[in-house]
Amino acid sequence: YASPPMGAYVEERDYPANRVIKIPDFISDEAAAALILKGMTVEYLFNRTYKIKSGEYFLFHAAAGGVGLVACQWARAIGAKMIGTVSTKEKADIAKEAGCEITINYLEENVVEKVKKLTEGRGVRVVYDGVGKDTFQITIDCLADRGLFVSFGQSSGMIEKVSLHKFFAPKNLYYTRPSLLLYNKTKEEFE
């Protein structure tokens, strides 16, 4: 489960009724356990943090990761054009098969140049960044004026000492650090 109270590593426990959801019969317990956190993350990122739109380009770091693959499928389902960063050809193939419109191998290609070319020099309105320190500057450089930097993870480490004036002021960028715990506080949000 993806919210308090903690205690996932037990065989039995009392759990608040307002935090329980019914899993449909066609979804196995194993699939639900593997996907619900990732799916809930993509839902709050794509629907409630910044509502992606059909036909819109956006950048998503780590497109072949667990959250990234759900994001690829979600983007394809609504017709949004996901640009996903990956580190290998194999990961690019996996992300494209899942629905990522365009992949960029950040070890072999210049992410900023490719995003700028795809968007006719404007950049994207939103970047979803679950990587952190290693992608911070790339994210800033790929955003359009008044774009939104959505920092939802830090697999490469925390972003250190950020100057708002140096990084965000030149393009009037927005920054948010959303958390699933705050996006599912109520029963309605959780469902």
Side-chain angles (χ1 to χ4, degrees), residues 2-3 35-52 60 67 70-71 74 126-131 148-154 176-185 188-191:
S3 64
L35 291 172
I36 197 163
L37 175 63
K38 296 165 188 75
M40 289 172 68
T41 300
V42 174
E43 186 281 325
Y44 88 78
L45 291 174
F46 284 7
N47 284 340
R48 295 185 279 154
T49 303
Y50 176 89
K51 182 82 169 164
I52 60 170
F60 198 102
V67 174
V70 174
W74 199 301
V126 64
V127 177
Y128 297 98
D129 188 346
V131 177
L148 176 61
F149 185 137
V150 180
S151 172
F152 70 97
Q154 63 278 338
T176 187
R177 181 68 165 104
S179 165
L180 181 59
L181 296 178
L182 291 177
Y183 272 87
N184 69 8
K185 272 188 161 180
E188 293 76 25
E189 290 172 331
F190 189 64
E191 288 177 337

Side-chain angles (χ1 to χ4, degrees), residues 31-106:
L35 291 172
I36 197 163
L37 175 63
K38 296 165 188 75
M40 289 172 68
T41 300
V42 174
E43 186 281 325
Y44 88 78
L45 291 174
F46 284 7
N47 284 340
R48 295 185 279 154
T49 303
Y50 176 89
K51 182 82 169 164
I52 60 170
K53 300 162 198 66
S54 179
E56 175 179 32
Y57 281 108
F58 68 95
L59 181 62
F60 198 102
H61 291 297
V67 174
L69 290 174
V70 174
C72 291
Q73 295 171 60
W74 199 301
R76 177 175 50 194
I78 66 165
K81 297 179 179 185
M82 182 168 151
I83 305 166
T85 62
V86 296
S87 61
T88 67
K89 182 187 179 324
E90 293 77 24
K91 288 180 179 180
D93 292 342
I94 291 167
K96 282 185 179 180
E97 186 176 322
C100 190
E101 182 90 9
I102 296 145
T103 58
I104 303 173
N105 183 330
Y106 62 85

